[in-house]
Each structure stands twice: as C-alpha cells, then as structure tokens.
Amino acid sequence: MTAVSVSKDAAPTSEDLVVLSKVNKHFGALHVLQDIDLTIGRGEVVVVIGPSGSGKSTLCRTINRLETIDDGAITIDGLPLPQEGKELARLRADVGMVFQSFNLFAHKTVLQNVMLGQVKVRKAEKGAAEEKARQLLDRVGVGSQADKYPAQLSGGQQQRVAIARALAMDPKVMLFDEPTSALDPEMINEVLEVMQQLAQEGMTMVVVTHEMGFARSAANRVVFMADGRIVEEATPDKFFSAPRSDRAKDFLSKIL
Ligand code: ADP
Ligand code: MG
C-alpha cells in the first residue's frame, strides 16, 4: 500500500491518482458540490460518509463524468477528464463503478455481462475476454453462475458480478456507491469481503457506505460530507473516536 496523501494543498505528485480541485456543481438552485478538494492516492481506500442528500453520489458520478461539473477540475492519473468523445470513453473505462442497484444487463448472461466491456471498449479478443471473465467470476466466488441470467442470482451474487464486470476493464480506481444498501443483511458480508480483498490487493477505491465496520477495517481515510462540502477528513481511528465537527458528531451519534 502506498503512502496516503491527506494534505489538500500539496502539489499533485505521481502518487496522486484522482485529484479534484475546487469542484463545484449545481442542480438548478441547489449547490450540490461546493469547492470540493479531494486527492486520492494510488492504492488508497477512501470511505465517504455523510447524511442522505449531502452529495456523495454526485461526487462519485462526477469522477467518471456521469455528471458534468460547473467549475474546478478533475484529473485521473494526471489527465484532465475530457468533456466528451473517444478520450472520455477511454478515461471513463479507467474508473470502475459499482452502484447500489447492480445495473447488470438483464438479457445477457453473467458471463456475457463480464465480457461485454472488454470486447466493446477495451477491444479484447473474445476468447481472451471469456477467460478473463471466468477468472474474475471465480475470484468473486460466482464462477458456477456464469451461464445464468442476473435475475436468477441473489442480490449478493449480482453485486459480486457487477464488481467482476468493473474489474474486467482493468480500472485504475474503483468507485462504490452504497454497494450493499440494497442487499438483504445476510448478503452484505459476502460483498464487503470481496471489497476488503480488493483493498488488500492495493486497488485504489472510493467507497460510499454506511458500513462502519468496513470503514474501520479497510479505509485509509474517511471523508465526511454534509451539505455539498467536505466537512472533515481523518483516519478511521481518529474520525470515529474523536470527530471534530458538530455535523460529524451528530451524524455518528445517529448511526453508531
Ligand atoms: P447523497 O448520495 O449524499 O444522498 P446525492 O448526491 O444523491 O446525495 O444528492 C445530493 C443532492 O442533489 C440531493 O438534494 C438530491 O436531491 C440532489 N440531486 C441529485 N441528483 C439530482 C439531479 N439529477 N437533479 C436534481 N437534483 C439532484
Ligand atoms: Mg447517494
């Protein structure tokens, strides 16, 4: 695991994989992201927490340009996020995303779901894409489900397929937006375990979650958001034992 860069003011280095500088975003009159400065180091695991509506999903969606920003800048591995075109598709492929709602293609098999992006975006040859898909499905523990359709799988299995599909693109960073929030309780751990494993293997990860156990054990840093701002960032130990802001104290008193 590489060094964690927490300072907001430090000049970007090659260790910085994702850099957001003074990012602002409005939805009409709503100022949903306000002067967001956030640097994510290579191999770093950042857990983003905060009340509902604080802008966590929007933050994730700006990082792979599912949402545009009004001003500020986002770079991924030193390259500015382009507005559109082929370059955007390529850069977006470097950012894996896993959503609360799995978002698998319902009319494709599990195997096809994990092959598709490799063939279409990464231009992989079919045989190679299939071999890689099978390896990844094994790795997340659903290798035996390869020929089924998503609806035939449990929620936990579907989410693990979604993780395998994202990994198939060889992303530089993985974004997880409340990946376990739609799951029945008994399936949460099987997904968190896969994420924990990825973190240990050195994947750079941004994880929006309410799973504080995961935050404590896997995160290098906790970022606490409220009302479109980053209110506080700290190591999990510091954040959970001694939150500084009233907003964070209030939030933690409700969820812990
Ligand atoms: P969180 O993920 O922290 O719950 P979101 O990023 O989803 O927060 O939303 C932040 C705020 O932006 C909320 O008030 C939400 O209603 C609003 N919002 C999110 N997406 C849109 C959109 N596409 N259009 C208008 N408002 C939106
Ligand atoms: Mg959200």
Side-chain angles (χ1 to χ4, degrees):
M1 196 114 350
T2 49
V4 176
S5 96
V6 179
S7 167
K8 291 180 187 177
D9 301 320
T13 72
S14 60
E15 290 303 315
D16 296 336
L17 188 54
V18 179
V19 180
L20 286 82
S21 316
K22 292 272 167 294
V23 167
N24 282 279
K25 164 95 187 156
H26 294 78
F27 286 121
L30 180 68
H31 197 172
V32 59
L33 296 178
Q34 303 188 32
D35 286 332
I36 299 287
D37 284 314
L38 180 63
T39 298
I40 296 151
R42 228 174 270 280
E44 195 182 6
V45 177
V46 173
V47 162
V48 180
I49 66 173
S52 176
S54 55
K56 306 180 299 295
S57 292
T58 307
L59 177 73
C60 284
R61 292 168 59 83
T62 62
I63 295 176
N64 69 350
R65 192 45 183 67
L66 287 172
E67 297 283 357
T68 56
I69 58 176
D70 299 336
D71 58 63
I74 300 176
T75 61
I76 295 178
D77 212 359
L79 297 173
L81 210 51
Q83 288 303 301
E84 54 196 15
K86 274 204 182 123
E87 247 183 296
L88 175 61
R90 204 176 56 232
L91 217 62
R92 191 179 268 159
D94 287 341
V95 182
M97 179 124 185
V98 175
F99 303 87
Q100 180 175 331
S101 52
F102 324 141
N103 291 19
L104 296 173
F105 300 112
H107 302 291
K108 302 225 177 271
T109 65
V110 162
L111 184 68
Q112 287 166 343
N113 264 277
V114 183
M115 288 175 62
L116 202 65
Q118 297 185 64
V119 174
K120 295 246 181 217
V121 180
R122 294 297 197 202
K123 307 294 176 207
E125 183 264 319
K126 271 206 171 149
E130 175 171 346
E131 191 182 328
K132 185 168 178 179
R134 290 194 187 277
Q135 276 170 7
L136 285 167
L137 289 168
D138 278 342
R139 185 164 146 202
V140 301
V142 291
S144 60
Q145 312 296 316
D147 298 321
K148 293 189 181 166
Y149 286 87
Q152 296 173 287
L153 271 57
S154 72
Q157 290 173 323
Q158 287 185 58
Q159 194 60 304
R160 286 181 283 148
V161 173
I163 293 171
R165 184 177 61 174
L167 290 175
M169 305 294 280
D170 295 321
K172 290 179 177 167
V173 52
M174 287 278 287
L175 310 178
F176 294 86
D177 190 3
E178 301 202 25
T180 60
S181 296
L183 297 177
D184 291 332
E186 73 272 21
M187 293 170 189
I188 291 176
N189 277 340
E190 66 194 43
V191 172
L192 292 178
E193 277 163 21
V194 168
M195 293 167 59
Q196 183 90 44
Q197 181 69 33
L198 267 182
Q200 270 162 15
E201 289 165 8
M203 176 61 77
T204 307
M205 296 164 61
V206 178
V207 184
V208 179
T209 186
H210 300 301
E211 295 293 332
M212 296 303 130
F214 176 84
R216 279 177 189 276
S217 62
N220 299 108
R221 179 159 48 124
V222 172
V223 168
F224 175 72
M225 284 185 76
D227 298 329
R229 289 183 184 279
I230 293 177
V231 174
E232 194 164 334
E233 21 182 339
T235 60
D237 266 2
K238 275 206 178 122
F239 181 77
F240 291 115
S241 62
R244 296 186 304 270
S245 63
D246 289 341
R247 290 301 300 263
K249 285 177 196 165
D250 181 55
F251 179 75
L252 289 174
S253 74
K254 285 175 182 148
I255 60 158
L256 292 181

